[in-house]
Amino acid sequence: LTIMTIQRNFDVLIVGSGLAGLSAALLLAPTHKVAVITKRELSDGSSSWAQGGIAGVLDPQDSFEAHFADTLDAGAGLNDVAATRAVIEGAPAAIQWLIEMGVPFSQEAGKLHLTREGGHSARRIVHVTDATGAAVQKTLIGHVKNTPNISVFEHHTLIDVITTQVGGKRCHGLYALDGVNDQVITFAAPQSILATGGAGKVYRYTTNPDTATGDGIAAAWRAGCRVTNMEFIQFHPTCLFHPQ
């Protein structure tokens, strides 16, 4: 391992190349010089594995209030109410943005095909057959690769964020390991976004991809961020083993 003094400067650093990280990069690129840093390749991560679809109120007979009530019920009342409302009310516009980006959502009779999944009282799931995450990821990756203001750093693993206490605690960038050249690179930027996904791989049996190791969560915690809701980790039924 070689500790290098190589420093790369950007306006915004985004760690993680799932749908959250790629969307943030594309939305920021018109006005910012953006770096997307990912530990493997852009297409690795949980987003590509998502099959079902994306929920949003798109049927005139449906309503935000109905979607909100369904979500609170499915969440056993543990939901963050403000976050739940923000996601539900922002969903139609987010889906429209994905359509404009070219995501080939399934259609029926010239209209979006809406399905109904568990916990929903109405048909409000847009999908790309049964491989929605992979289709959205492929579309956004294509745009990211063709956007001049976005630089992609694959096979770069987050080591830690760089903070100072001057004038209050602030993040000034991060250190990342370039896995191809065995070098530690300094990435400097006034703004950093950790979109690194979850930590499902801390468990022996999981359907989470190998990249879900919680690096970003740990780095955020070391930097002084609050970490909450760590008990909410998906265990898919296909991983359930029962001796009988």
Side-chain angles (χ1 to χ4, degrees):
L1 177 66
T2 306
I3 305 296
M4 300 293 291
T5 56
I6 296 173
Q7 178 170 313
R8 303 188 184 278
N9 298 292
F10 294 90
D11 298 321
V12 183
L13 306 176
I14 299 174
V15 187
S17 61
L19 299 188
L22 297 181
S23 298
L26 289 167
L27 291 167
L28 287 165
T31 53
H32 296 77
K33 184 182 176 186
V34 181
V36 175
I37 300 159
T38 187
K39 74 167 73 165
R40 290 197 180 170
E41 296 183 2
L42 282 178
S43 57
D44 286 311
S46 298
S47 293
S48 292
W49 295 32
Q51 294 180 313
I54 304 169
V57 176
L58 298 169
D59 187 329
Q61 314 252 336
D62 198 5
S63 70
F64 288 146
E65 286 308 313
H67 193 179
F68 182 71
D70 289 346
T71 308
L72 287 186
D73 186 46
L78 298 174
N79 314 56
D80 179 311
V81 173
T84 302
R85 280 205 176 277
V87 170
I88 288 170
E89 293 175 4
I95 292 168
Q96 181 58 40
W97 180 74
L98 291 174
I99 292 170
E100 291 167 3
M101 297 299 283
V103 176
F105 288 114
S106 297
Q107 300 203 3
E108 189 175 69
K111 294 183 178 181
L112 284 175
H113 182 243
L114 301 177
T115 63
R116 179 177 167 184
E117 293 188 351
H120 293 280
S121 60
R123 296 172 73 89
R124 58 171 74 106
I125 313 296
V126 296
H127 62 102
V128 183
T129 60
D130 62 348
T132 308
V136 179
Q137 184 84 339
K138 180 180 179 181
T139 301
L140 297 192
I141 285 173
H143 285 289
V144 163
K145 286 183 174 180
N146 289 311
T147 301
N149 238 13
I150 300 176
S151 299
V152 174
F153 296 89
E154 295 178 309
H155 302 285
H156 280 65
T157 302
L158 171 67
I159 296 173
D160 219 346
V161 296
I162 302 168
T163 58
T164 62
Q165 296 285 357
V166 179
K169 196 162 195 178
R170 283 196 55 79
C171 176
H172 298 277
L174 58 89
Y175 298 114
L177 172 64
D178 176 349
V180 175
N181 298 305
D182 275 343
Q183 297 174 341
V184 175
I185 311 295
T186 301
F187 288 86
Q191 306 291 339
S192 297
I193 298 173
L194 298 179
T196 57
K201 285 298 287 189
V202 301
Y203 292 90
R204 185 173 184 180
Y205 300 107
T206 176
T207 54
N208 281 215
D210 289 340
T211 53
T213 51
D215 310 42
I217 298 169
W221 182 79
R222 289 193 297 269
C225 295
R226 289 183 300 140
V227 175
T228 64
N229 303 327
M230 287 301 292
E231 69 273 28
F232 293 112
I233 291 182
Q234 181 193 47
F235 291 91
H236 200 273
T238 51
C239 261
L240 177 66
F241 171 77
H242 194 287
Q244 297 178 357

